[in-house]
């Protein structure tokens, strides 16, 4: 394993492509149908945020292996405006775009690990991982 798939996000079609690649990869790792949906939802939300706030960026999907467990890691990275207040961005309902503010808190709930690195004016890198049961 150890393969990484990279999907460049430049437009709305790329969001769908990222989601499809996530579905394929999570099937290959034998996630159940519910976890497959959690993972693809997380990928869509992160890709949509890249498209909305940074215009361009990428999603990297990697298969991980630890203690006979397999996992799928999502990295969403962009060189957009960054997030001023990460704590706020993780609150349910916080949005700067008239969205629902449900994306990032949702991704955090759907995945097993979640972290944000973001520097205003430089960009954002979000890493989230889910392990098989
Ligand atoms: N990649 C990013 N670059 C810059 N800012 C971001 C990025 N992702 C999220 N944000 C900021 O964090 C806020 C919260 O994001 P979140 O996805 O939770 O909600 P939303 O996109 O506003 O609404 P929803 O996802 O529910 O449609 C966004 O409104 C935006 O200000
Ligand atoms: Mg969002």
């Amino acid at each position: 394993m150890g393969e990484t798939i990279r999907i460049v996000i430049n437009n709305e079609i790329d969001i769908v492509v990222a989601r499809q690649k996530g579905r394929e990869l999570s099937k290959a790792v034998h996630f159940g149908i519910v976890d497959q949906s959690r993972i693809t939802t997380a990928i869509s939300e992160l890709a949509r945020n890249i498209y909305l706030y940074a215009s361009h960026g990428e999603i990297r999907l990697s298969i991980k292996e630890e203690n006979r467990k397999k996992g799928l890691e999502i990295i969403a990275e962009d060189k957009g405006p960054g997030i001023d207040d990460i704590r706020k961005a993780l609150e349910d309902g916080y949005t700067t775009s008239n969205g629902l503010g449900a994306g990032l808190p949702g991704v955090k709930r759907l995945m097993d690990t979640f972290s944000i690195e973001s520097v205003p004016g430089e960009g954002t890198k979000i890493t989230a991982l889910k392990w098989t049961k």
Side-chain angles (χ1 to χ4, degrees):
M1 297 267 167
E3 67 181 294
T4 298
I5 293 176
R6 177 169 167 270
I7 306 104
V8 173
I9 305 296
N10 289 315
N11 57 52
E12 282 175 307
I13 305 290
D14 298 328
I15 303 173
V16 179
V17 172
R19 193 187 169 90
Q20 283 166 349
K21 294 288 175 197
R23 175 75 66 176
E24 284 168 24
L25 218 53
S26 52
K27 262 189 197 163
V29 184
H30 301 302
F31 278 104
I33 190 84
V34 174
D35 276 348
Q36 286 176 31
S37 297
R38 290 187 173 112
I39 290 165
T40 52
T41 300
I43 292 168
S44 304
E45 290 299 332
L46 295 174
R48 204 158 60 88
N49 281 353
I50 289 175
Y51 174 67
L52 274 178
Y53 306 113
S55 301
H56 309 286
E58 66 179 45
I59 300 278
R60 294 193 294 278
L61 304 174
S62 307
I63 295 172
K64 299 282 164 183
E65 202 158 356
E66 205 177 284
N67 304 326
R68 272 174 281 127
K69 268 194 178 180
K70 283 182 179 162
L72 196 149
E73 182 186 70
I74 308 166
I75 296 180
E77 190 163 25
D78 66 64
K79 292 184 165 44
I83 300 174
D84 286 332
D85 189 336
I86 293 173
R87 196 183 50 81
K88 257 195 180 156
L90 284 172
E91 282 173 11
D92 272 307
Y94 176 81
T95 180
T96 57
S97 69
N98 288 316
L100 290 177
L104 292 178
V107 173
K108 190 175 177 188
R109 278 191 290 266
L110 292 167
M111 302 294 287
D112 293 334
T113 73
F114 179 90
S115 68
I116 300 186
E117 296 161 60
S118 187
V119 180
E122 288 188 14
T124 301
K125 182 179 178 185
I126 298 178
T127 304
L129 197 151
K130 191 156 197 75
W131 294 110
T132 53
K133 299 275 158 16

